[in-house]
Amino acid sequence: MAPIAITPTATPPPELDTTTGLTANGIEHNVVKTAPSVLKTSQPSSSPLAATITEVSRIPSKASNDTAASLAELDASLLETTLTTTPRQVPAIGSPEMASQKVCTDHMIQAKWTVESGWHAPSLQPFGPLSLSPTASCLHYATECFEGMKLYRGFDGKLRLFRPQLNCNRMLMSTNRIALPAFAPEELLKLVVKLCATDGAKWLPKDRPGHFLYIRPTMIATDAALGVERPKEALLFILLTCFAPMGNMSGGIKLLASQDDMCRAWPGGFGYAKVGANYGPSLVAQGEARAMGYHQILWLFGEDCIVTEAGASNFFLVWKTPEGKLQLITADLNERIVLDGVTRRSVLELARSRLAPGHEDLEPIEIVERKFSMFEVEKAAQEGRIVEAFASGTAWFIAPIGQIHFRGKDFTIPQEAGESGKYTKAIKSFLKGIMWGEDGLEQHEWGYVVEESS
Ligand SMILES: *Cc1c(COP(=O)(O)O)cnc(C)c1O
């Protein structure tokens, strides 16, 4: 097999999607140069530029195996463990420490990468500060990406992750977008599981069913040089942090539609990747929303006011079409201005299999992923066709939406089941069942059981 062209060519090879070919080349190049085994284990796919999180680990390649063959891969089996000698106290339920989201568990995992040797052996070590040069690339050029997952303590006593493979795939997609090194997503998953197994029993004890820890895998470029160039050194780290259990927001979330002078993501940008650069710049608008009494921004895009996401969550609407057809609608992923949420994907899959045909007292509903505008939402609201709305994401779970403000007008979103709409309630209970083994201890393939160390 011939080595891949590392110089982007004006005419991409025919098997590359011509609209995204150069970017795809760049991503393939990144993988070949940083962790070639990701390609060796991959299967061919028709689209080299992985558009979604399940495709990303299957980036095909014509790369020869000897390109950068001496680079070590991320290998969870090499993990070196140093347990803490100063264990810390688990915050009490309802304590200010618990609510602060500042308390991390006893341990963290780190793995270093360098351009010369690839991935070093990962280590599980006491949680503590990092040492970084003030010139580190991530501090200047936003060479940072992350994931957000949860470790759930089930009502059956088990510890579970929810579809963690998807998060690990997405992390690879995000690292590729910002020239951070590639890795085999399965190895990241093994490291996440190891940390959860080590700290889970103590920090998420069996007498706290229904509670969770938040998991934050992160990668940063650590090169101590100010040159604007591809990272030569990186650090992967994983930490677990305490979160207070989610309460119900009375009346639902209030959203403020973004103004014309600001957008979160744009075609050709990086809105589809979980890179830090997406979040800092959104905080001005979020602050404005809070000051006006709203919880989050509903991000619109372009002159047509295309509805994308709500804060750092995906946005769903149940409405009736002008013809009277009941639909669950969310933005599609085609323009890559919306994050491919694991929760979003799960909602769509569950809704297609369980709600579309009709469920208990709920009418059958059509499930739609398409581009839709705020003007359509406004018209539906004025004509009384909005049934319910919710935001979906790991952090907020399924959050009912009670109100949307757009260009001087507030629309109240019905919540027919009391604290949410009826479809929202059904979706929430499907997911809860899988995550926590609630409602008849549902054993579902999406629930990934973590065996505890003690
Ligand atoms: C993380 C995130 C989501 C939700 O993704 P999940 O995988 O469901 O947690 C949605 N939108 C944005 C912008 C995000 O960062």
Side-chain angles (χ1 to χ4, degrees):
M1 290 198 289
I4 70 158
I6 55 173
T7 320
T9 49
T11 40
E15 62 271 34
L16 290 182
D17 175 345
T18 47
T19 58
T20 53
L22 298 181
T23 319
N25 259 342
I27 285 178
E28 206 167 320
H29 176 202
N30 188 48
V31 175
V32 172
K33 285 291 184 199
T34 56
S37 81
V38 175
L39 297 173
K40 276 182 245 157
T41 57
S42 67
Q43 300 149 19
S45 148
S46 58
S47 160
L49 181 61
T52 70
I53 52 183
T54 43
E55 285 167 14
V56 74
S57 61
R58 294 187 254 120
I59 301 166
S61 177
K62 299 166 290 314
S64 71
N65 291 348
D66 48 48
T67 318
S70 58
L71 285 185
E73 303 301 332
L74 181 64
D75 184 348
S77 72
L78 302 177
L79 187 74
E80 293 159 1
T81 298
T82 310
L83 295 180
T84 184
T85 51
T86 52
R88 288 168 312 133
Q89 263 210 306
V90 182
I93 294 174
S95 62
E97 295 79 43
M98 185 64 107
S100 74
Q101 302 185 359
K102 286 181 184 166
V103 181
C104 293
T105 64
D106 286 318
H107 300 99
M108 68 190 294
I109 282 181
Q110 293 194 12
K112 188 177 162 179
W113 176 90
T114 61
V115 74
E116 297 84 17
S117 41
W119 288 100
H120 297 211
S123 64
L124 187 149
Q125 60 192 72
F127 178 86
L130 301 174
S131 171
L132 278 184
S133 165
T135 54
S137 165
C138 63
L139 300 177
H140 302 271
Y141 310 125
T143 42
E144 188 266 3
C145 67
F146 63 94
E147 266 306 318
M149 314 159 72
K150 280 176 178 172
L151 177 65
Y152 303 90
R153 174 62 78 185
F155 287 92
D156 58 354
K158 289 183 182 162
L159 282 181
R160 283 187 186 79
L161 298 163
F162 181 76
R163 309 186 83 180
Q165 295 90 346
L166 296 181
N167 294 90
C168 295
N169 290 350
R170 189 171 64 191
M171 178 95 170
L172 174 61
M173 181 178 73
S174 299
T175 59
N176 273 318
R177 182 64 183 84
I178 51 174
L180 282 169
F183 54 89
E186 311 83 70
E187 298 304 307
L188 173 60
L189 176 57
K190 287 180 201 163
L191 294 173
V192 166
V193 168
K194 179 69 188 172
L195 183 62
C196 292
T198 306
D199 281 352
K202 170 178 166 185
W203 289 83
L204 202 54
K206 286 212 163 88
D207 63 3
R208 293 188 180 183
H211 287 233
F212 58 83
L213 293 171
Y214 186 81
I215 309 167
R216 176 49 62 88
T218 312
M219 204 190 293
I220 55 176
T222 50
D223 303 40
L226 286 180
V228 182
E229 56 178 343
R230 292 176 59 90
K232 295 192 176 72
E233 259 184 56
L235 183 71
L236 166 70
F237 57 90
I238 310 168
L239 53 87
L240 301 178
T241 179
C242 295
F243 254 54
M246 291 161 300
N248 273 331
M249 181 122 37
S250 141
I253 286 180
K254 295 181 182 175
L255 297 178
L256 176 68
S258 60
Q259 311 278 323
D260 296 344
D261 62 351
M262 214 181 256
C263 67
R264 191 195 86 91
W266 50 91
F270 39 87
Y272 64 91
K274 237 172 159 67
V275 297
N278 277 324
Y279 303 87
S282 74
L283 301 178
V284 175
Q286 199 216 57
E288 274 174 14
R290 296 273 160 95
M292 289 169 65
Y294 295 87
H295 299 105
Q296 277 296 347
I297 295 286
L298 178 61
W299 289 105
L300 308 181
F301 176 74
E303 284 174 15
D304 302 335
C305 295
I306 300 304
V307 177
T308 65
E309 302 195 60
S313 302
N314 294 108
F315 176 78
F316 284 85
L317 199 61
V318 177
W319 66 7
K320 284 203 165 115
T321 63
E323 298 74 37
K325 191 158 199 184
L326 196 59
Q327 289 184 336
L328 173 70
I329 186 168
T330 193
D332 65 67
L333 304 175
N334 295 338
E335 280 179 299
R336 297 160 67 81
I337 55 174
V338 169
L339 193 107
D340 182 359
V342 176
T343 323
R344 172 189 180 280
R345 178 180 283 262
S346 306
V347 167
L348 287 170
E349 291 174 20
L350 289 170
R352 285 196 175 108
S353 64
R354 302 186 186 180
L355 295 180
H359 174 79
E360 295 177 356
D361 62 335
L362 297 174
E363 267 181 68
I365 187 166
E366 190 183 8
I367 316 302
V368 181
E369 284 175 80
R370 74 158 167 92
K371 193 191 245 192
F372 66 103
S373 79
M374 195 59 208
F375 300 116
E376 287 177 80
V377 177
E378 180 180 35
K379 188 151 182 286
Q382 285 162 349
E383 295 173 0
R385 290 188 282 107
I386 304 267
V387 181
E388 51 191 86
F390 62 91
S392 83
T394 301
W396 285 5
F397 190 40
I398 301 295
I401 290 164
Q403 194 177 326
I404 302 176
H405 181 104
F406 174 57
R407 297 194 173 166
K409 289 184 216 137
D410 273 295
F411 307 111
T412 301
I413 312 292
Q415 297 187 293
E416 273 186 59
E419 291 189 326
S420 76
K422 290 180 183 171
Y423 289 90
T424 309
K425 189 177 171 188
I427 287 166
K428 208 168 168 173
S429 95
F430 296 154
L431 286 169
K432 267 189 164 172
I434 298 169
M435 288 163 176
W436 277 288
E438 214 177 28
D439 294 333
L441 307 185
E442 179 164 8
Q443 297 299 323
H444 193 283
E445 56 177 357
W446 294 349
Y448 182 110
V449 175
V450 174
E451 303 299 339
E452 294 160 69
S453 305
S454 52

